[in-house]
Amino acid sequence: VILGAQWGDEGKGKITDLLAAEADIVARFAGGDNAGHTVIVGEEHFALHLIPSGVLNAETRCFLGGAMVINPKKLLAEMDGLASRGIQISPERIGVSGLAHLIMPYHLALDGAAEAARGGSALGTTKRGIGPAYTDKAARTGIRAQEMLRPPDEFARRIQEQVMAKNLVLREVYGQAALDPEAISDEYLGYADRLRPFVCDVAAEMGSALRAGSRVLAEGAQGTLLDLDHGSYPYVTSSYPTIGGVCIGLGVGPQQIERVVGVVKAYQTRVGAGPMP
């Protein structure tokens, strides 16, 4: 397991890329596209936000874990960008957990509206819908990646119901314009057509791989001091970038973790607002 020991941005992507050369599987276990790992290969720079850094190693299988929140539009753009640079992108290389929650347009709208309403007390979020997506997950109203496998009319109905519910909040609480339920469901049905082959049972595949003796590398995002419980609350992320997040996000037991690498850098930076020495 590779974890950030500060506020993130410690260079975990470089370490992951280095150790991925020895790994059969590299898996992200938490967070969304608010994370960014930059890896330099020769003269080429790769900026990765959702796909694990191990994707740059041709023999490595990559997983997006169940405790992640995934913006399908951003994931497809990242896949297309890598494919255009000669990186193989296929369901054999990348698996997306069916348990992961989808970031919807209303999550981005709510994120921006809530930050604006906080004024001088803003949290400094990336406004990418991460927090509202995790809010829906905890409220048991979120839409999971596995719902893209449902018949199109059922998936569209689920989306439209959620858009209409969030429109009430956007209009009545924040005074924002309502979103178009049908336009959003049509957009996400298109994403589902492309992403459906990548959806899999990550926990089951991880279990089989570990029993078979495969070398698995879990790639952290953000850092310890952004942990929802153990970080500098409330100026934190909405997930668990610490060691417990590995077990939750990938469905593995703690006894299966053999080595933990904490990455630090000699100076400190942090994204967003909040206290910092």
Side-chain angles (χ1 to χ4, degrees):
V1 179
I2 297 176
L3 300 175
Q6 294 158 317
W7 278 280
D9 297 325
E10 303 96 346
K12 295 183 296 298
K14 299 174 181 65
I15 307 301
T16 303
D17 181 59
L18 178 69
L19 297 181
E22 305 170 4
D24 301 302
I25 293 171
V26 179
R28 270 280 305 275
F29 55 86
D33 63 300
N34 54 342
H37 292 165
T38 302
V39 179
I40 301 171
V41 181
E43 298 296 320
E44 292 198 79
H45 289 230
F46 293 88
L48 303 166
H49 295 279
L50 288 165
I51 299 174
S53 303
V55 74
L56 301 179
N57 293 276
E59 303 303 317
T60 304
R61 179 139 165 78
C62 295
F63 287 133
L64 281 69
M68 290 184 68
V69 287
I70 297 170
N71 183 327
K73 182 177 182 179
K74 293 291 184 69
L75 176 57
L76 287 167
E78 197 167 313
M79 287 179 169
D80 291 343
L82 289 169
S84 70
R85 300 173 68 179
I87 306 298
Q88 182 195 354
I89 301 297
S90 68
E92 289 71 40
R93 295 263 359 251
I94 297 172
V96 178
S97 173
L99 305 183
H101 281 247
L102 301 182
I103 294 177
M104 310 296 292
Y106 50 76
H107 292 134
L108 280 78
L110 288 167
D111 202 353
E115 276 289 88
R118 293 185 186 107
S121 301
L123 301 176
T125 79
T126 56
K127 298 186 178 71
R128 298 189 182 187
I130 309 295
Y134 277 114
T135 297
D136 275 4
K137 176 180 177 176
R140 293 164 289 183
T141 58
I143 297 176
R144 284 174 151 181
Q146 64 193 21
E147 295 192 53
M148 293 190 291
L149 306 180
R150 298 170 73 170
D153 59 330
E154 292 183 19
F155 186 45
R157 185 166 60 251
R158 272 281 285 140
I159 293 170
Q160 292 175 19
E161 289 171 354
Q162 285 304 303
V163 174
M164 289 187 284
K166 297 302 188 294
N167 275 343
L168 290 174
V169 180
L170 286 169
R171 286 197 311 261
E172 304 301 326
V173 176
Y174 295 112
Q176 301 282 328
L179 303 174
D180 185 337
E182 289 192 15
I184 292 173
S185 63
D186 287 347
E187 178 185 0
Y188 273 69
L189 284 171
Y191 298 151
D193 285 340
R194 291 192 60 192
L195 287 175
R196 197 172 290 119
F198 294 89
V199 177
C200 66
D201 188 338
V202 166
E205 289 203 36
M206 288 282 290
S208 297
L210 289 167
R211 285 191 296 273
S214 298
R215 293 178 60 85
V216 178
L217 185 63
E219 177 180 8
Q222 290 93 34
T224 299
L225 296 171
L226 291 176
D227 186 271
L228 180 59
D229 284 325
H230 300 286
S232 49
Y233 190 90
Y235 303 99
V236 294
T237 192
S238 298
S239 61
Y240 303 106
T242 44
I243 193 68
V246 178
C247 299
I248 295 169
L250 299 178
V252 299
Q255 291 178 321
Q256 293 173 297
I257 299 172
E258 295 181 350
R259 183 186 180 200
V260 183
V261 177
V263 183
V264 300
K265 61 187 177 186
Y267 61 97
Q268 297 191 51
T269 60
R270 69 160 297 161
V271 174
M276 179 183 170

